[in-house]
Amino acid sequence: MRQLCFLLLLFSALQSFAQTEVKLTGRVLDEKTLKPLENVGIKLLSSTDRSVIKSSVTDAKGEFVLFSQPGRYHVKIEFIAYKTQLLENREITKNLKIEDIILKEDVQLLKSVDITAEKTTVELSLDKKVWQ
């Protein structure tokens, strides 16, 4: 009976060590205004095959938090109208605060399109419609 209790205690202790997670935090800012950007996509990618491990978005203060197992990862930062950034091979073994991430605008001038249309004149009377 003592051996069984000892084994259960040992396995529960090992299980608690195996589930330790690390916290990755940071803040995303606009390059021109240095104001925080809200709803920026943050992805934690596997360093081997670049598959998505975890993802999050920034809050109103431009801050994000990701929890993951310790390891080596790529951090991808994406937002509409801004250039995507990739922080490669970040070793995350303990809680880590990434320096402020500055995103640059990705503005492209597209070809202009002119739309022209002709409107037909319709004349309505009591008993008929006349198009000219």
Side-chain angles (χ1 to χ4, degrees), residues 117-121 132:
E118 293 182 17
K119 183 176 178 182
T120 59
T121 307
Q132 297 177 349

Side-chain angles (χ1 to χ4, degrees), residues 3-112:
Q3 290 175 345
L4 181 61
C5 289
F6 176 74
L7 287 175
L8 287 174
L9 184 62
L10 179 66
F11 283 124
S12 65
L14 288 175
Q15 184 71 10
S16 67
F17 282 118
Q19 292 181 353
T20 57
E21 287 189 330
V22 291
K23 180 168 71 168
L24 176 67
T25 60
R27 187 170 68 156
V28 181
L29 305 173
D30 177 74
E31 178 189 35
K32 291 181 182 175
T33 63
L34 293 180
K35 290 186 178 179
L37 293 173
E38 188 175 1
N39 295 321
V40 175
I42 311 294
K43 293 180 184 176
L44 200 60
L45 307 174
S46 167
S47 63
T48 55
D49 62 358
R50 296 193 184 219
S51 61
V52 177
I53 305 296
K54 296 273 182 158
S55 64
S56 181
V57 293
T58 57
D59 60 12
K61 296 177 185 176
E63 298 173 347
F64 66 89
V65 177
L66 280 169
F67 292 94
S68 181
Q69 298 297 320
R72 182 172 293 277
Y73 300 101
H74 301 303
V75 181
K76 189 173 189 178
I77 302 98
E78 297 178 301
F79 195 48
I80 295 173
Y82 287 85
K83 292 182 180 178
T84 299
Q85 280 196 15
L86 184 65
L87 307 175
E88 296 187 281
N89 292 320
R90 295 290 174 128
E91 185 72 32
I92 304 171
T93 56
K94 58 183 178 178
N95 292 349
L96 176 66
K97 180 171 177 31
I98 296 179
E99 65 281 352
D100 286 347
I101 300 165
I102 310 296
L103 288 185
K104 297 178 181 180
E105 285 186 14
D106 187 17
V107 180
Q108 296 177 358
L109 183 60
L110 303 176
K111 293 181 181 178
S112 63

